[in-house]
Amino acid sequence: MKKRFAAVLLIAVAAVSSLAAVDISLAVGGQGTFGELTVGKNTSYKVSVDAELDMDFGRGQGMLVGLLVGTNDIDISVGYAYQTDISSNCDLILGAGATLGLKDPVHLDFFVTVDFDFNITQNMYIRLGTGFITDFGKLNNEYASNPKFIIPLPAIGFGWDF
C-alpha cells in the first residue's frame, strides 16, 4: 500500500511537470528521517524516511510535496516554496504549508522550513535545513486542545535535480 501510494504520487508529479515548464528536485532525508532503537523491557524500533519534491514554476515561485513513511505513520505535506540562488553553488529554499498525518489518530501540522542546497555536481546536492512545526493535535473534538510548537534539529538530506 505504501509503495503504491508513493508510486502514484511520483507519477502524478511527473505528469504535471511534463505538461508545463517546471524545474523539479527530489530530496531524500531531512526533518523526518530518523532511526530509533529503544532497548529495555519492551525493545522497540522506529524508522522514518522523508522525501520531498520541490517544483519551481518560474521566478523562484513553486510548491513542495512531501511524503514521510515510517513504521508508525504516513504523513503527506503540501505547501508553497520559494527558491533563490545565494551563489553559483548554493540555493536557499523557503517553504510553508500543512502536513496531514494519515495514521490513527489523524492529525494536522503546519510548518515553515529553511533549507540550503549545496551543489555537489550539476544534478546532485546536499540539503541542510531546519524549520518550525506547529502540531495542533488530533482531528477530532480535542483538536488544538494542547498544541505543540517544535523546532527540529538541523537535518541533512541528499537531492537530485531533474
Side-chain angles (χ1 to χ4, degrees):
M1 175 77 173
K2 293 177 188 178
K3 290 180 184 179
R4 282 189 224 158
F5 181 75
V8 169
L9 181 66
L10 287 174
I11 290 170
V13 170
V16 169
S17 67
S18 68
L19 298 174
V22 178
D23 293 329
I24 293 182
S25 61
L26 169 68
V28 178
Q31 304 302 328
T33 301
F34 68 89
E36 178 182 308
L37 175 65
T38 304
V39 180
K41 218 176 214 185
N42 298 322
T43 300
S44 65
Y45 70 96
K46 292 180 187 177
V47 177
S48 293
V49 177
D50 192 4
E52 180 179 305
L53 283 172
D54 297 323
M55 294 169 275
D56 185 356
F57 298 118
R59 296 189 184 126
Q61 310 289 326
M63 68 180 291
L64 59 90
V65 178
L67 177 67
L68 181 135
V69 178
T71 52
N72 297 329
D73 54 357
I74 297 174
D75 295 348
I76 298 174
S77 302
V78 177
Y80 169 79
Y82 177 76
Q83 180 175 348
T84 187
D85 294 334
I86 293 179
S87 70
S88 61
N89 292 328
C90 182
D91 295 332
L92 170 68
I93 297 99
L94 302 173
T99 300
L100 181 65
L102 300 177
K103 287 286 191 164
D104 193 35
V106 175
H107 62 277
L108 182 66
D109 301 339
F110 295 99
F111 65 88
V112 175
T113 58
V114 178
D115 295 311
F116 294 93
D117 291 349
F118 297 96
N119 296 327
I120 299 172
T121 66
Q122 185 177 1
N123 296 326
M124 190 172 165
Y125 58 88
I126 293 176
R127 175 170 286 182
L128 298 174
T130 189
F132 180 79
I133 301 168
T134 303
D135 179 4
F136 284 111
K138 299 179 270 187
L139 292 179
N140 60 19
N141 58 355
E142 296 178 17
Y143 181 71
S145 61
N146 189 12
K148 297 178 194 171
F149 301 98
I150 304 163
I151 299 176
L153 294 173
I156 187 168
F158 296 95
W160 297 267
D161 292 323
F162 298 99

